[in-house]
């Protein structure tokens, strides 16, 4: 029996005559898990200033609260997808939920910086089990193309709306209760989703991949990414010429190059290189990763700007980000989704990234007395519209011409590029901002009359300098989308040469990747 046939065996508990009658209930619990992951990513941004002050976290280490989660998530996503193939998607999904709840409990009870950072890394690790399992379950639960499109549309809308809910809920919890509740709130979400999934979700039999785990690939990829991000982080405090900083970058290059060499030779690689070599998929991974690098640093800077410089409360800060989330949902559902079947993806992705860069460009004009309605509001709307428009076709294009056996790892690779991009972006742009802030203080200290005023001016100067870098990164992402991605609109797309007949025959069966925030 062929591999394609094996992945389509029906669940013996489900009648072959029709779809699973509980499929829409299953969607509720899968979407609830996605909402929890999205909430966690945005809630912590709002709570970070309070947590930093309470636990005595230094400015140089504060981004690790975000980075530890993103790096563990991104570094282990491919491994998590492979575990789901081996254990079964439903079992992996439930284990990921319960582990995420336990890690959140540890974070909420943290009494030290190390305990908080450790809990964030654990959340990322269990999230890496949860995310690919959720996407796979959704794909196999909805077999009819029209129902599948509707299910993924609902799933995606919850993911986008969850960002806004997280920002606002994070503000309320931080201001009226305590920052620790931004962790504790995950626990009921996870338990309800896990119990519901256990009793409702039915996973089709015969879809497991029994090939042995690529342990060298897991170790090399994870260590290489950790070394890369640590190098960026250390550069902030010790400088780019520090021997350890340079050593981390060299180690990362060696480890990741070795990973590629190993993947080209092992029988059952963690990441088959054929997934990366196709031109359009490579363009999606690279441009999305760069776009996320530009965006993640901005979230951190703008949170601190609004709370520290402008004096916004956590709740006000949450609502201040709302226009960006609305713009992102609008760009994704009303622009990207409506046009993606009519125009080639590059004509949505390239201009989308440029619109986002325009919004970012406005934010380079930040000053101590910047007006929110006059500058920050339109900047956030443009950023949201541009990114939403670009992300929608990019997610669909990620499985362009893919073989059924590689569809899962192709989807996981999209999430990996986003999570690792977020980790690198936070570290890199925080480094740029800190260096610019220090240089500003050194250049203006002699003539400064008010030390507090100088400190705030230096902080805003540092943020603006880092945002200039983000603008450049988004422009590069746009250029990559225009030049690398050459496929036509979905209705006219041909299967990539050499991908095999099975890919064309089962194009509708490939899971649809969804943005993981």
């Amino acid at each position: 029996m062929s591999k394609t046939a094996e992945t389509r065996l029906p669940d013996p508990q489900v009648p072959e005559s029709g779809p699973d009658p509980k499929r829409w209930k299953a969607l509720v619990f899968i979407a609830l898990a996605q909402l929890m992951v999205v909430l966690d990513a945005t809630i912590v941004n709002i709570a970070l200033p309070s947590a930093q002050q309470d636990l005595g976290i230094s400015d140089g280490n504060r981004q690790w609260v975000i980075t530890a989660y993103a790096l563990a998530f991104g570094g282990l996503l491919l491994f998590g997808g492979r575990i789901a193939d081996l254990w079964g998607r439903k079992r992996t999904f439930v284990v990921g939920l319960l582990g995420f709840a336990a890690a959140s409990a540890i974070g909420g009870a943290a009494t030290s910086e190390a305990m908080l950072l450790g809990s964030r890394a654990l959340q990322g690790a269990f999230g890496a089990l949860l995310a690919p399992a959720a996407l796979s379950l959704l794909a196999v639960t909805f077999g009819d193309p029209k129902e599948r499109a509707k299910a993924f549309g609902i799933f995606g809308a919850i993911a986008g709306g969850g960002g806004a809910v997280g920002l606002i809920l994070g503000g309320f919890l931080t201001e009226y209760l305590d920052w620790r509740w931004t962790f504790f709130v995950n626990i009921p979400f996870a338990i309800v989703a896990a119990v519901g999934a256990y009793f409702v979700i039915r996973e089709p039999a015969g879809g497991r991949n029994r090939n042995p785990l690529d342990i060298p690939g897991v170790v090399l990829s994870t260590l290489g990414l950790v070394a890369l991000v640590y190098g960026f982080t250390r550069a902030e405090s010790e400088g780019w010429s520090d021997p350890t900083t340079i050593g981390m970058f060299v180690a990362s290059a060696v480890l990741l190059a070795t990973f590629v060499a190993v993947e080209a030779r092992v029988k059952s690689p963690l990441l088959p290189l054929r997934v990366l070599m196709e031109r359009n998929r490579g363009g999606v991974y690279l441009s999305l990763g760069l776009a996320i690098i530009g965006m993640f640093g901005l979230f951190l800077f703008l949170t601190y700007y609004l709370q520290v410089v402008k004096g916004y409360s956590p709740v006000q800060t949450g609502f201040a980000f709302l226009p960006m989330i609305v713009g992102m949902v609008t760009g994704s559902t009303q622009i990207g989704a409506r046009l993606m079947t009519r125009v080639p993806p590059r004509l949505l992705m390239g201009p989308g990234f440029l619109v986002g860069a325009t919004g970012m460009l406005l934010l380079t004009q930040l000053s101590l007395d910047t007006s929110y309605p006059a500058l920050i509001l339109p900047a956030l709307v443009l950023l949201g519209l541009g990114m939403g428009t670009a992300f929608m076709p990019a997610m669909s294009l990620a499985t362009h011409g893919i073989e059924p056996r590689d569809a899962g790892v192709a989807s996981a690779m999209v999430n990996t590029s986003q999570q690792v991009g977020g980790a690198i972006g936070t570290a890199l742009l925080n480094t740029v901002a800190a260096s610019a802030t220090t240089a500003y203080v050194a250049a203006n200290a002699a003539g400064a009359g008010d030390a507090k005023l100088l400190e705030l001016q230096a902080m805003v100067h540092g943020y603006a300098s880092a945002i200039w870098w983000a603008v450049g990164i988004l422009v590069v992402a746009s250029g990559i989308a225009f030049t690398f991605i050459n496929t036509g609109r979905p209705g006219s797309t041909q299967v990539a040469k050499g991908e095999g007949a099975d890919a064309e025959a089962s194009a509708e069966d490939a899971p649809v990747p969804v943005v993981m925030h």
Side-chain angles (χ1 to χ4, degrees):
M1 184 179 289
S2 71
K3 225 176 247 185
T4 303
E6 287 178 355
T7 60
R8 296 179 183 173
L9 287 176
D11 188 339
Q13 301 177 21
V14 181
E16 291 189 44
S17 58
D20 181 359
K22 294 184 178 180
R23 62 194 182 282
W24 294 107
K25 291 182 180 178
L27 173 62
V28 171
F29 298 111
I30 295 171
L32 184 62
Q34 169 71 358
L35 178 61
M36 180 190 70
V37 173
V38 177
L39 279 174
D40 190 74
T42 51
I43 273 180
V44 173
N45 275 312
I46 300 296
L48 186 52
S50 300
Q52 179 184 0
Q53 184 177 6
D54 198 11
L55 298 180
I57 301 173
S58 67
D59 286 346
N61 286 338
R62 74 185 179 201
Q63 84 270 14
W64 274 103
V65 177
I66 308 297
T67 300
Y69 175 84
L71 182 61
F73 199 164
L76 295 173
L77 262 169
L78 293 173
F79 180 53
R82 181 67 183 83
I83 289 293
D85 289 338
L86 188 65
W87 285 0
R89 301 175 184 95
K90 176 177 174 178
R91 181 185 300 176
T92 305
F93 183 69
V94 173
V95 169
L97 282 166
L98 296 178
F100 201 96
S104 298
I106 294 172
T111 56
S112 66
E113 176 182 332
M115 190 173 174
L116 181 64
L117 297 182
S119 73
R120 289 290 286 162
L122 271 178
Q123 282 182 315
F126 283 108
L129 282 180
L130 178 61
L135 289 173
S136 298
L137 281 172
L138 205 60
V140 300
T141 300
F142 292 88
D144 179 75
K146 291 183 179 179
E147 285 197 348
R148 180 180 295 186
K150 183 177 180 181
F152 273 99
I154 294 171
F155 187 79
I158 289 173
V165 175
L167 290 167
I168 296 168
L169 182 60
F172 275 104
L173 292 174
T174 302
E175 186 165 345
Y176 297 117
L177 292 175
D178 188 83
W179 65 266
R180 298 180 185 278
W181 282 96
T182 61
F183 285 87
F184 292 144
V185 74
N186 291 325
I187 299 173
F189 278 98
I191 292 175
V192 170
V195 172
Y198 182 80
F199 288 106
V200 171
I201 292 176
R202 295 181 179 181
E203 180 182 359
R208 296 189 187 184
N209 185 338
R210 303 292 186 178
N211 290 327
L213 285 174
D214 174 22
I215 299 300
V218 173
V219 173
L220 288 169
S221 62
T222 303
L223 290 179
L225 293 170
V226 168
L228 181 65
V229 176
Y230 182 68
F232 281 117
T233 303
R234 187 173 176 86
E236 177 188 2
S237 58
E238 304 299 331
W240 293 96
S241 60
D242 175 68
T244 304
T245 301
I246 297 172
M248 286 295 106
F249 287 131
V250 172
S252 174
V254 170
L255 287 164
L256 294 177
T258 306
F259 169 70
V260 172
V262 167
E263 298 305 277
R265 289 169 173 78
V266 297
K267 184 178 179 181
S268 303
L270 179 71
L271 176 60
L273 297 185
R274 60 182 173 269
V275 173
L276 299 176
M277 292 299 103
E278 202 277 318
R279 174 174 179 163
N280 291 282
R281 285 197 297 273
V284 167
Y285 299 150
L286 191 54
S287 60
L288 274 184
L290 286 171
I292 296 297
I293 287 176
M295 286 184 66
F296 258 62
L298 174 69
F299 295 158
L300 184 64
F301 300 144
L302 210 50
T303 296
Y304 272 84
Y305 173 80
L306 292 172
Q307 292 193 38
V308 177
V309 178
K310 302 297 286 184
Y312 281 30
S313 69
V315 171
Q316 289 174 317
T317 303
F319 276 104
F321 276 101
L322 193 55
M324 184 191 71
I325 304 298
V326 172
M328 192 171 291
V329 172
T330 302
S332 178
T333 61
Q334 301 304 311
I335 301 176
R338 291 176 182 270
L339 295 180
M340 63 183 289
T341 57
R342 302 178 184 179
V343 300
R346 67 179 180 276
L347 297 185
L348 289 173
M349 291 179 62
F353 289 137
L354 286 180
V355 170
T358 303
M360 200 84 79
L361 185 64
L362 291 178
L363 293 173
T364 61
Q365 306 305 308
L366 285 178
S367 64
L368 293 183
D369 57 354
T370 292
S371 165
Y372 177 86
L375 189 137
I376 299 175
L377 175 61
L380 289 177
V381 170
L382 284 173
L383 185 62
L385 282 173
M387 291 303 176
T389 300
F391 281 174
M392 186 64 184
M395 295 303 103
S396 297
L397 188 59
T399 50
H400 168 75
I402 200 72
E403 295 182 40
R405 58 179 171 153
D406 295 332
V409 75
S411 298
M413 188 61 199
V414 176
N415 292 321
T416 300
S417 68
Q418 292 178 64
Q419 294 299 330
V420 174
I424 294 174
T426 303
L428 172 62
L429 296 182
N430 204 52
T431 300
V432 172
S435 300
T437 298
T438 301
Y440 186 92
V441 170
N444 295 276
D450 187 336
K452 180 63 176 177
L453 180 62
L454 176 63
E455 180 185 345
L456 292 176
Q457 289 172 333
M459 182 187 301
V460 174
H461 173 75
Y463 294 163
S465 300
I467 293 171
W468 270 112
W469 278 65
V471 172
I473 291 170
L474 286 179
V475 171
V476 172
S478 175
I480 289 172
F482 274 122
T483 55
F484 275 63
I485 297 171
N486 63 356
T487 184
R489 65 184 189 276
S492 62
T493 299
Q494 297 296 317
V495 175
K497 189 175 181 179
E499 290 287 340
D502 282 346
E504 186 171 11
S506 60
E508 288 186 348
D509 294 327
V512 181
V514 177
V515 181
M516 298 299 295
H517 297 271

